[in-house]
């Protein structure tokens, strides 16, 4: 790992109260690798999540309250097909009902050659379609954006909470968009961390 990735690893180790040996750290390439390694060091095997279930209920209740859905959404459904973060008062009202920070996704830049977005010293371009974001991804982003409020760092209960905490630290340290950080993303190739 280079200096930037070493700094990020140190931030993650500090937040999670773990220490990963250098030889093992060299094998961490993706976000999922970091989750798996941290889970092993913290002894976290549980995959089902109370926090994810609670957020699912809260988000569905807010969407139902706004009459944007007739029945609760499943985790694989596309949330931004019913909740448009860029038009109308629904987004603001949704955030008020939820009482949590809810990051808006970025819109892909128009397809022009060389059009990039500079963000906190790195060159970064949106690589996802915001309309394809599932409820599962949306819940993860909400949990990560509110990790200090929702997750007890001394008592992380499951891999969902662990993933959300890692996502939050990565976003905080790099400035990358919340929705850009996915388990399969490489720290170096996808997120621009040297």
């Amino acid at each position: 790992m280079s200096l930037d990735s070493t700094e990020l690893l140190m931030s993650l180790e500090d937040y999670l109260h773990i220490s990963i040996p250098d030889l093992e750290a060299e094998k961490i390439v993706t976000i999922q690798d970091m989750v798996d390694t941290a889970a092993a060091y913290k002894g976290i095997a549980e995959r089902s999540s109370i926090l994810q279930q609670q957020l699912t209920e809260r988000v569905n209740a807010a969407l139902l309250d706004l009459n944007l859905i007739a029945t609760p959404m499943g985790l694989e459904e596309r949330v931004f097909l019913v909740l448009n973060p860029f038009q109308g008062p629904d987004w603001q009202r949704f955030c008020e009902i939820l009482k949590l920070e809810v990051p808006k996704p970025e819109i892909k830049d128009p397809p022009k050659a060389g059009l990039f977005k500079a963000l906190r010293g790195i060159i970064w371009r949106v690589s996802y379609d915001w309309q394809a974001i599932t409820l599962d991804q949306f819940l993860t982003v909400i949990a990560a954006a509110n990790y200090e409020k929702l997750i007890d760092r001394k008592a992380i209960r499951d891999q969902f909470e662990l993933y959300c905490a890692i996502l939050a630290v990565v976003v905080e340290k790099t400035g990358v968009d919340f929705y850009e950080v996915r388990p399969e993303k490489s720290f170096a190739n996808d997120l621009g961390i040297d």
Side-chain angles (χ1 to χ4, degrees):
M1 295 189 130
S2 68
L3 182 61
D4 289 338
S5 60
T6 300
E7 290 174 15
L8 177 59
L9 178 64
M10 288 171 58
S11 295
L12 289 165
E13 287 176 321
D14 182 54
Y15 181 81
L16 299 169
H17 302 291
I18 59 174
S19 181
I20 301 170
D22 290 342
L23 286 174
E24 207 160 327
E26 294 287 336
K27 299 174 187 172
I28 299 172
V29 175
T30 66
I31 298 293
Q32 188 63 54
D33 293 341
M34 185 64 212
V35 171
D36 293 342
T37 301
Y41 275 85
K42 293 191 72 63
I44 298 172
E46 185 63 42
R47 292 191 183 273
S48 62
S49 175
I50 293 169
L51 176 59
Q52 185 182 39
Q53 181 181 6
Q54 291 169 340
L55 284 175
T56 302
E57 291 168 6
R58 285 177 71 175
V59 167
N60 272 315
L63 294 172
L64 287 163
D65 189 43
L66 291 168
N67 294 316
L68 296 174
I69 57 174
T71 59
M73 293 183 75
L75 292 176
E76 296 306 314
E77 292 185 64
R78 295 178 178 191
V79 70
F80 293 128
L81 295 181
V82 297
L83 177 67
N84 190 323
F86 306 108
Q87 296 176 354
D90 290 338
W91 180 263
Q92 183 64 32
R93 187 72 188 110
F94 174 79
C95 295
E96 289 169 4
I97 293 169
L98 207 56
K99 295 182 179 150
L100 293 170
E101 178 186 342
V102 185
K104 285 185 179 183
E106 296 287 333
I107 298 177
K108 277 190 178 185
D109 294 327
K112 294 181 182 175
L115 186 57
F116 290 93
K117 184 176 189 172
L119 183 61
R120 292 190 189 174
I122 63 171
I123 300 299
W124 173 72
R125 184 176 180 179
V126 175
S127 67
Y128 62 85
D129 175 5
W130 68 273
Q131 293 175 317
I133 292 170
T134 63
L135 180 61
D136 182 40
Q137 293 169 295
F138 189 52
L139 298 172
T140 302
V141 166
I142 292 171
N146 298 277
Y147 78 111
E148 292 287 3
K149 183 177 182 179
L150 299 175
I151 298 170
D152 180 357
R153 76 167 72 190
K154 294 177 183 167
I156 294 177
R157 299 176 287 192
D158 53 60
Q159 290 190 21
F160 176 78
E161 288 187 8
L162 184 60
Y163 170 51
C164 293
I166 290 169
L167 188 158
V169 173
V170 168
V171 168
E172 189 176 282
K173 297 296 180 185
T174 65
V176 173
D177 181 282
F178 276 101
Y179 296 94
E180 195 73 43
V181 182
R182 302 285 303 136
E184 70 279 359
K185 295 287 184 151
S186 160
F187 285 102
N189 296 333
D190 298 317
L191 303 178
I193 300 167
D194 295 328

